[in-house]
């Protein structure tokens, strides 16, 4: 009910997912959410009601705090059995498909974007920068002595080396930055809105952090990379 937020009907699949038996008559955000004292801020009811006689469909994704799963919701207004207009939400569990999509884009070891997804993201970022007329700094770095580490200490240690370096790089990224794995030991870092000088400084800071990490963890090989930075102007 869009006026009272009370549940009129819930199908068996949703009852099972949310672990409830008799939700009808209860306030939806008290059943489907956690710790709320009022209607969800993201609820599309007001948007639907504002459309008058139109029959809009609002599509949105939700990560449920109650089930830990992700749903794609399709919300609309429909006529109920008593002739009133009610809020109908049809939900599809997309947890598995989203996981597969993420796995198809993410390099498993580093959790950076993989080559294909990274090149696409770079292309989209440069197009955005051109439109917004901002600069982008792109760094290419190549991990030093990875082959020697693999040959001397084994590939598991080589993987550890890659992971430590990529973790340090990730800490240097802002929300609009990203990195991707170009090949086995080659990586690309994209700094949005940063000129070359600042992008170079970020990479230098990563190198310094890695020197500290090597000392703290008593790592017997150089934990470092060589790199270059180029600036692309969004003009």
């Amino acid at each position: 009910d869009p006026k009272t937020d009370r549940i009129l009907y819930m199908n068996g699949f949703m009852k099972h997912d949310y672990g409830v038996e008799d939700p009808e008559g209860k306030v939806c955000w008290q059943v489907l959410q956690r710790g709320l004292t009022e209607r969800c801020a993201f609820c599309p009811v007001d948007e639907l009601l504002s459309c008058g006689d139109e029959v809009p469909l609002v599509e949105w994704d939700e990560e449920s705090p109650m089930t830990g799963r992700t749903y794609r919701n399709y919300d609309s207004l429909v006529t109920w059995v008593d002739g009133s207009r009610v809020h109908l939400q049809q939900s599809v569990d997309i947890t598995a498909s989203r996981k597969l999509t993420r796995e198809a884009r993410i390099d498993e070891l580093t959790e950076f974007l993989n080559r294909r997804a990274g090149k696409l993201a770079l292309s989209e970022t440069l197009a955005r920068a051109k439109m917004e007329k901002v600069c982008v700094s792109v760094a290419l770095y190549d991990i030093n002595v990875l082959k020697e580490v693999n040959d001397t200490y084994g590939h598991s240690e080589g993987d550890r080396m890659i992971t430590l370096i990529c973790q340090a790089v990730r800490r240097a990224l802002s929300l609009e930055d990203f990195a991707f794995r170009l090949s086995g030991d080659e990586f690309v870092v994209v700094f949005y809105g940063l000129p070359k000088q600042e992008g170079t400084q970020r990479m230098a800071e990563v190198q310094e952090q890695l020197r500290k990490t090597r000392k703290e963890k008593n790592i017997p090989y150089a934990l470092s990379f060589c790199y270059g930075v180029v600036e692309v102007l969004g003009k």
Side-chain angles (χ1 to χ4, degrees), residues 141-202:
Y141 74 89
D142 189 324
I143 295 177
N144 294 330
V145 300
L146 178 58
K147 183 179 185 303
E148 289 83 346
V149 171
N150 283 332
D151 292 344
T152 305
Y153 302 99
H155 284 270
S156 61
E157 186 63 26
D159 287 350
R160 176 175 179 247
M161 179 190 192
I162 293 172
T163 300
L164 287 171
I165 291 175
C166 291
Q167 286 173 345
V169 170
R170 183 179 295 108
R171 287 192 290 269
L173 303 180
S174 70
L175 291 177
E176 292 192 294
D177 305 332
F178 63 92
F180 66 93
R181 192 173 189 176
L182 190 62
S183 64
D185 60 356
E186 291 183 326
F187 298 83
V188 174
V189 187
V190 180
F191 298 109
Y192 192 80
L194 284 190
K196 179 179 178 180
Q197 182 177 358
E198 293 184 32
T200 301
Q201 179 61 33
R202 289 268 192 98

Side-chain angles (χ1 to χ4, degrees), residues 36 72 92 154 162 174 192 207 212 222 230:
L36 295 185
R72 178 152 296 158
V92 180
I162 293 172
S174 70
Y192 192 80
Q207 292 274 43
K212 294 178 181 178
V230 62

Side-chain angles (χ1 to χ4, degrees), residues 24-196:
E24 287 80 9
K26 298 176 182 177
V27 176
C28 64
W29 45 264
Q30 292 178 344
V31 174
L32 306 179
Q33 302 296 325
R34 182 176 290 143
L36 295 185
T37 58
E38 60 184 0
R39 178 186 287 177
C40 309
F42 48 80
C43 180
V45 167
D46 288 339
E47 179 183 350
L48 292 169
L49 292 173
S50 69
C51 294
D53 294 332
E54 297 181 23
V55 187
L57 180 68
V58 177
E59 176 182 337
W60 57 292
D61 292 348
E62 174 190 13
E63 294 184 7
S64 170
M66 301 295 288
T67 69
R69 304 188 68 78
T70 302
Y71 301 91
R72 178 152 296 158
N73 298 323
Y74 301 88
D75 292 64
S76 60
L77 294 179
V78 298
T79 302
W80 191 235
V81 292
D82 61 0
S84 63
R85 297 283 278 172
V86 300
H87 171 206
L88 172 68
Q89 181 177 96
Q90 302 175 75
S91 301
V92 180
D93 188 334
I94 61 170
T95 308
S97 61
R98 175 166 284 192
K99 182 175 183 289
L100 289 173
T101 299
R102 183 181 186 280
E103 290 176 348
R105 299 178 67 247
I106 300 297
D107 177 70
E108 182 179 5
L109 177 63
T110 65
E111 296 189 353
F112 285 171
L113 294 173
N114 59 28
R115 178 187 178 95
R116 181 177 181 180
K119 291 177 72 174
L120 177 60
L122 177 58
S123 176
E124 292 174 346
T125 297
L126 295 179
R128 174 190 167 194
K130 183 176 182 179
M131 181 179 64
E132 297 181 352
K133 297 183 178 179
V134 300
C135 63
V136 176
S137 287
V138 181
L140 172 66
Y141 74 89
D142 189 324
I143 295 177
N144 294 330
V145 300
L146 178 58
K147 183 179 185 303
E148 289 83 346
V149 171
N150 283 332
D151 292 344
T152 305
Y153 302 99
H155 284 270
S156 61
E157 186 63 26
D159 287 350
R160 176 175 179 247
M161 179 190 192
I162 293 172
T163 300
L164 287 171
I165 291 175
C166 291
Q167 286 173 345
V169 170
R170 183 179 295 108
R171 287 192 290 269
L173 303 180
S174 70
L175 291 177
E176 292 192 294
D177 305 332
F178 63 92
F180 66 93
R181 192 173 189 176
L182 190 62
S183 64
D185 60 356
E186 291 183 326
F187 298 83
V188 174
V189 187
V190 180
F191 298 109
Y192 192 80
L194 284 190
K196 179 179 178 180

